[in-house]
Amino acid sequence: MQLESLKMFCDVVETGSFSRAAQLNHVTQSAVSQQIRALENRYEQKLLSRSARQVTPTPAGERLFRGCKEILARFAEVEQEIREQSTEVQGTTTVSTIYSVGLHELRNVQKQLLKTHPKVNMRLNYRRNDQVYDDVILGAAEIGIVAYPQPRAGVDIHPFRDDKLAVVCAPNHSFATKSKVSLTALSGVPFIAFDREAPTRKALDRLVREKNLDLNPVMEIDNVETIKRAVEMGIGVAILPMATVSAEVAQGTLVSKPFAEGAVSRPIGLLIRKGKYLDRASAAVLEAFKLAEAAGDES
């Protein structure tokens, strides 16, 4: 029994038509019929039910179809792996990422990827944290990037890095002259917070409860760029990843201050669908993340 026969059988089931299956396999309809007849003779039972409108699988045919699809999918992966071994790594990998990481922290990853695999393109989708999980699970992205990664069925988590958080304010704010800012100093100060559903906001809310603080959110925003603009306007202060405000701090439009109580950070994780085979392009992107983070640790 040849794989071509199994593929023709699956095509007939999926299209419900012998003629359409023949077109997909570039053979005559008679050739498809012969292959199906050979399979039915092999198993000594009817696999397809033919009607005037459509061809449908019998119970035995349905079981064979499910098994054949698994075999054909695995064989296609093996063929792809073998072909890739003899060619230069190239292709496009989709990465779904939250805004605060994708916009500010992937430059070194892209530089590393360009250095090691110049023909591999990393395409970024900017998404909310929960949408990143969905993209990875549903196959819309090969890799996901989230803050405060949480175990979820169908997903493997790879630690990436920890983002240091800081108090961010406008240059004319009273905090701007301090070397450090304590968490207690935030009580009663107009505060610009992340949206309530953002993992960073939830983590900060837990910290506030633990310290018995009284924060006064005057705005709740789901986009780090909008939060920065509001802080620049003097509407309030915020707690943001330091990497997201490095450009504004250098330009003098924002000031960031570490916490007096010590470092506060948020973990960033990479998501891969559980059991997913990563093609060489996606593996190269994943490797670039690891190399970029290792280089950052050494600097």
Side-chain angles (χ1 to χ4, degrees):
M1 178 169 48
Q2 297 180 338
L3 287 175
E4 288 79 3
S5 298
L6 299 181
K7 182 179 182 306
M8 288 184 195
F9 171 74
C10 289
D11 288 341
V12 171
V13 173
E14 290 180 325
T15 63
S17 166
F18 276 79
S19 60
R20 181 63 183 139
Q23 293 174 354
L24 291 173
N25 290 274
H26 307 290
V27 296
T28 64
Q29 185 172 332
S30 175
V32 175
S33 298
Q34 291 176 13
Q35 295 290 349
I36 302 303
R37 192 157 47 247
L39 287 173
E40 291 181 329
N41 290 337
R42 178 186 179 89
Y43 297 112
E44 298 181 347
Q45 56 186 311
K46 197 176 184 63
L47 299 176
L48 297 173
S49 177
R50 301 162 177 81
S51 68
R53 287 188 172 184
Q54 194 175 26
V55 179
T56 57
T58 64
E62 180 63 34
R63 179 67 189 91
L64 180 62
F65 172 73
R66 292 197 303 269
C68 287
K69 289 297 291 184
E70 294 176 5
I71 293 170
L72 292 171
R74 181 57 188 141
F75 182 72
E77 288 182 357
V78 171
E79 278 197 316
Q80 181 67 15
E81 292 174 21
I82 293 173
R83 289 195 185 100
E84 288 180 341
Q85 296 306 314
S86 61
T87 59
E88 184 179 2
V89 183
Q90 57 184 312
T92 298
T93 293
T94 299
V95 177
S96 283
T97 176
I98 56 175
Y99 291 89
S100 58
V101 174
L103 288 174
H104 302 279
E105 302 187 43
L106 298 187
R107 183 175 301 173
N108 289 339
V109 175
Q110 291 173 319
K111 287 182 178 178
Q112 183 65 50
L113 186 62
L114 183 62
K115 177 181 177 182
T116 55
H117 298 95
K119 292 190 177 181
V120 173
N121 178 44
M122 182 171 66
R123 182 173 61 203
L124 299 179
N125 285 340
Y126 295 102
R127 310 279 275 164
R128 292 175 61 93
N129 208 79
D130 56 340
Q131 293 173 327
V132 174
Y133 285 91
D134 292 340
D135 283 353
V136 171
I137 292 171
L138 297 175
E142 285 72 40
I143 299 173
I145 308 174
V146 295
Y148 299 96
Q150 298 295 317
R152 188 173 296 190
V155 171
D156 288 326
I157 299 171
H158 299 256
F160 175 43
R161 60 173 298 166
D162 286 335
D163 272 346
K164 286 186 173 62
L165 301 178
V167 177
V168 179
C169 64
N172 59 354
H173 195 278
S174 60
F175 287 169
T177 59
K178 299 180 179 295
S179 59
K180 296 180 179 181
V181 176
S182 68
L183 285 166
T184 55
L186 297 175
S187 293
V189 175
F191 187 77
I192 301 173
F194 279 101
D195 180 84
R196 291 176 184 270
E197 295 304 313
T200 302
R201 167 67 183 275
K202 292 179 179 179
L204 291 176
D205 284 348
R206 287 194 296 270
L207 182 61
V208 167
R209 288 194 296 270
E210 291 171 3
K211 301 291 184 179
N212 292 318
L213 301 179
D214 181 25
L215 287 189
N216 177 30
V218 294
M219 298 181 70
E220 296 179 341
I221 302 172
D222 65 357
N223 187 300
V224 68
E225 294 300 303
T226 308
I227 292 177
K228 290 192 296 182
R229 301 293 83 80
V231 174
E232 287 175 337
M233 294 168 62
I235 297 174
V237 302
I239 296 176
L240 296 173
M242 293 177 64
T244 66
V245 297
S246 58
E248 288 82 2
V249 169
Q251 295 166 4
T253 60
L254 287 176
V255 176
S256 68
K257 297 295 178 179
F259 292 95
E261 292 83 355
V264 177
S265 61
R266 68 170 186 173
I268 302 298
L270 305 178
L271 308 180
I272 307 285
R273 191 175 69 192
K274 191 177 293 293
K276 178 178 177 60
Y277 162 73
L278 288 181
D279 59 27
R280 293 178 73 200
S282 298
V285 171
L286 188 59
E287 178 190 24
F289 274 98
K290 295 177 181 178
L291 292 174
E293 180 58 15
D297 289 341
E298 294 172 359
S299 59

